[in-house]
Every structure is written in C-alpha cells, then in structure tokens.
Amino acid sequence: MPRRCSVEQCHILKNKIKCTLFKAPKEVNILTAWNEAVSKANGKSSIAHYVCQNHFSAADLISVNNNYPGDLNVC
C-alpha cells in the first residue's frame, strides 16, 4: 500500500506532490489526538496512518541537522 496523507481533502494527495509524511505515533495518547484531528478534518471517523507536513505549523516541526563527514569540525 503506498504511503499517503490520511487527510482526505489534502491538496498534496490530489496533485501528487512529494512532501514529508509523518508516521502516526505509537504512544496511545498522542495517537488518539492524531486520529481525532484527522477525523475532524475528514468529517468522519478516521484512522491516521500518515499525515503530511502541510497539516502542521512550523512550530510543530523540529529540524534535524544530519552530520555528514564534510560538516565535522576537526581540531
């Protein structure tokens, strides 16, 4: 099954634009909140498997800087 945003009216899904997808959390309380939010957006009971970056505010996202060999500071 291909990965896609669980929000049915997501324009990313309709336009087949590539973006970051976040997998539903395993922690029950957070997963429940995700399912409630997706259900509200879809207008019906839904289970969120993945949600794309467009349904989060910038403050919700944490940028991670990967260290690659060229990025290391050598003394």
Side-chain angles (χ1 to χ4, degrees):
M1 185 169 145
R3 294 179 186 176
R4 63 184 188 95
C5 185
S6 296
V7 178
E8 292 177 359
Q9 299 301 318
C10 179
H11 71 278
I12 296 297
L13 178 62
K14 290 180 180 180
N15 298 327
K16 297 182 181 179
I17 298 170
K18 290 187 180 185
C19 71
T20 301
L21 289 172
F22 297 97
K23 188 173 182 176
K26 292 181 182 179
E27 209 253 278
V28 177
N29 293 335
I30 299 172
L31 177 60
T32 300
W34 272 49
N35 288 334
E36 288 173 359
V38 170
S39 295
K40 184 178 178 181
N42 289 343
K44 63 181 180 181
S45 180
S46 302
I47 296 174
H49 296 286
Y50 294 94
V51 176
C52 78
Q53 68 190 40
N54 292 331
H55 303 291
F56 294 91
S57 69
D60 293 332
L61 302 176
I62 300 170
S63 296
V64 176
N65 294 323
N66 293 323
N67 288 327
Y68 296 102
D71 294 339
L72 297 177
N73 293 328
V74 179
C75 297

